[in-house]
Amino acid sequence: MNGVKMETAEYSVAQGDSDVQLGGTLDLTKVWNAYKTFKFGYTLTNGEAAFRSKSLIGSYTYSFSVNPEVVTVNEEILCSEQAWQTAFETGSPAASGFFSYMRCSEVNYDENTGKVDVIFTINENGTNQVKVSTIEDTPGSRPDSIQAYSPAGAFTIKPENFKKGVKVFTSEATFKGEIDMAPWMALVFPIRFEACVEQHGLTLDVADAQVTFDVENGTWADGTADTLTRNVEVDVIKMSEGSHVVAGTLAEEMIPAGMIAAEGYDQENGAWDKELVTEENGLIFLEGGIAAMSEGETANDILTIGYTYSFPGKPGEPNPGDPNQPAYPGEDDNKPGEDDNKPGEDNKPGEDENKPGTEETGKNPGTTGTVSGNKKPSGNKGTASAGTSAATGLAGVLGLQALSVAGIAAILKRKRK
């Protein structure tokens, strides 16, 4: 792939379309050993001159199958006889004599099954045969092997078509053919042969993404406070031609629980900085295609989502992290007229639909949200902020019905605002 022999091709956030060529080494020694056996027997009876006056006919077919679910085929290149001829000749420069009479004559492709048949026929100077003297005298006319690779540009894997564990080529590449003598057939002819190309397989892979968890103003249940990292299997989901998302599922058992507030912080009101989503493929790590990475940035930096669980200070008490800072506000600290969001002198009757006494303690009158830092733990429902934008993207392509419940809720919430 892209000029490198490999057995596994891994999805990359920074890579566009990948050019794939199927091929390897075709061993022809058995063909030419059979040819030399016939030559020995014929010349023993008829002489060298009689043998050299003969001609040969024949062909071989190169067959294999691609996976049409992940491979994009350029049929203009794939079905070009000249493209195949050039690919084989370029890969086997020492076999120039062989390709002077072995010419690509036909290419067939079945788009439903992905099967490809490439036919090479003996055809010296348009005669549909080759003189024995040519095979005997032309350098490189009887190569022990050739490099049999498909033309560059015939097969492409687009980023949106990467699937974990899927094979790019679904069969071995085989050669079948025969060589016969013209105008008559000797007892040891035709020389039939069949071989497989010695090649690397190619399997697609999508590496795991990561979810990190941090805790502030407290510890995890075991008393530690280090960052916790969870590996999440992800899928590359095609949105449209040239567009995709990388999404994974956060299992509930991956999410830390039982966090402990540090001294001076409010145990009851600890909360995640954004809501956790545990729907299938609900975590969107990358949306819209290829990521432009900054200097020093890696794919892991992009395919990572982080959550932080923090405990607020207790209302009305000094900031335990810095006693010189003002106390955390409590109900008695919010005096009339000192907060535009609280009832007071500036909140005159009739001027604000959110009248005093209509909101719960700890919420801001005039809003439907919770004061930052006093949010209750939300559990594992809803959608992460990274997933919301992708949900709207899915709606544009597939319709609103394709969104998750969390995605629909997020859209309705924005409309209410």
Side-chain angles (χ1 to χ4, degrees):
M1 186 173 82
N2 295 333
V4 179
K5 292 182 179 181
M6 57 180 62
E7 296 183 6
T8 301
E10 188 174 286
Y11 168 81
S12 171
V13 298
Q15 183 170 293
D17 297 350
S18 300
D19 183 60
V20 178
Q21 291 178 267
L22 173 73
T25 302
L26 174 63
D27 188 348
L28 295 175
T29 53
K30 291 182 179 179
V31 176
W32 300 121
N33 286 340
Y35 169 85
K36 286 186 285 187
T37 299
F38 172 74
K39 174 185 175 181
F40 174 79
Y42 189 91
T43 56
L44 190 64
T45 304
N46 302 287
E48 178 81 18
F51 177 72
R52 293 174 66 89
S53 68
K54 300 300 180 182
S55 294
L56 301 179
I57 60 174
S59 67
Y60 65 74
T61 301
Y62 181 26
S63 299
F64 60 91
S65 296
V66 301
N67 187 341
E69 293 185 2
V70 298
V71 178
T72 299
V73 176
N74 184 326
E75 292 194 45
E76 183 177 352
I77 296 176
L78 176 62
C79 296
S80 167
E81 298 164 9
Q82 186 57 52
W84 281 94
Q85 188 74 33
T86 301
F88 275 43
E89 290 182 11
T90 302
S92 308
S96 58
F98 177 74
F99 289 113
S100 70
Y101 64 84
M102 188 63 78
R103 311 295 299 175
C104 183
S105 58
E106 186 178 349
V107 184
N108 298 308
Y109 170 63
D110 186 331
E111 63 180 9
N112 295 315
T113 64
K115 190 171 187 298
V116 180
D117 292 314
V118 186
I119 302 171
F120 282 80
T121 303
I122 292 176
N123 186 7
E124 182 183 21
N125 300 323
T127 62
N128 293 318
Q129 57 187 16
V130 61
K131 294 178 182 179
V132 169
S133 58
T134 298
I135 295 178
E136 289 292 309
D137 299 336
T138 305
S141 62
R142 286 181 289 168
D144 291 337
S145 65
I146 59 173
Q147 297 299 309
Y149 284 89
S150 59
F155 304 120
T156 301
I157 302 176
K158 296 181 178 295
E160 65 266 24
N161 290 329
F162 267 75
K163 303 295 180 185
K164 190 179 184 71
V166 170
K167 296 284 188 181
V168 174
F169 300 102
T170 56
S171 71
E172 290 184 311
T174 62
F175 282 82
K176 295 181 180 180
E178 64 180 38
I179 297 175
D180 204 349
M181 183 166 276
W184 55 274
M185 182 173 66
L187 293 178
V188 294
F189 273 84
I191 300 172
R192 294 186 175 92
F193 63 93
E194 179 176 348
C196 291
V197 175
E198 298 176 6
Q199 61 177 333
H200 292 277
L202 185 60
T203 303
L204 301 182
D205 190 26
V206 182
D208 292 347
Q210 294 182 334
V211 176
T212 62
F213 297 98
D214 287 289
V215 61
E216 289 184 352
N217 305 330
T219 67
W220 304 119
D222 63 0
T224 63
D226 294 337
T227 298
L228 303 179
T229 301
R230 304 285 188 257
N231 290 332
V232 178
E233 288 192 4
V234 292
D235 294 320
V236 179
I237 301 172
K238 183 176 181 177
M239 303 282 287
S240 60
E241 195 64 29
S243 177
H244 65 280
V245 297
V246 178
T249 303
L250 178 64
E252 294 202 24
E253 58 267 23
M254 294 180 179
I255 303 171
M259 284 68 79
I260 304 169
E263 184 177 354
Y265 289 92
D266 189 350
Q267 175 72 40
E268 298 300 320
N269 287 308
W272 292 106
D273 60 338
K274 48 182 174 282
E275 294 181 84
L276 300 165
V277 55
T278 57
E279 296 176 346
E280 183 178 1
N281 280 335
L283 286 182
I284 307 300
F285 291 87
L286 176 68
E287 179 184 2
I290 302 170
M293 292 191 290
S294 304
E295 185 176 354
E297 192 174 32
T298 68
N300 286 339
D301 297 324
I302 295 174
L303 297 182
T304 298
I305 291 177
Y307 294 94
T308 299
Y309 193 92
S310 61
F311 294 97
K314 293 181 180 179
E317 296 186 7
N319 184 342
D322 185 356
N324 295 323
Q325 293 296 316
Y328 285 94
E331 293 181 14
D332 296 334
D333 297 320
N334 191 8
K335 298 179 180 180
E338 293 183 354
D339 190 340
D340 291 340
N341 290 325
K342 292 288 183 178
E345 296 177 359
D346 296 331
N347 187 8
K348 298 179 181 180
E351 293 183 354
D352 190 343
E353 294 178 1
N354 295 304
K355 296 179 179 180
T358 61
E359 298 296 331
E360 298 174 6
T361 303
K363 294 187 177 180
N364 295 336
T367 71
T368 57
T370 307
V371 175
S372 175
N374 292 326
K375 183 179 179 181
K376 296 286 185 180
S378 59
N380 299 326
K381 296 182 181 180
T383 180
S385 59
T388 304
S389 61
T392 56
L394 282 168
V397 176
L398 302 177
L400 187 62
Q401 68 273 15
L403 287 174
S404 66
V405 173
I408 294 173
I411 292 174
L412 295 177
K413 185 176 181 179
R414 286 199 300 272
K415 287 185 177 180
R416 285 198 299 270
K417 292 180 180 181

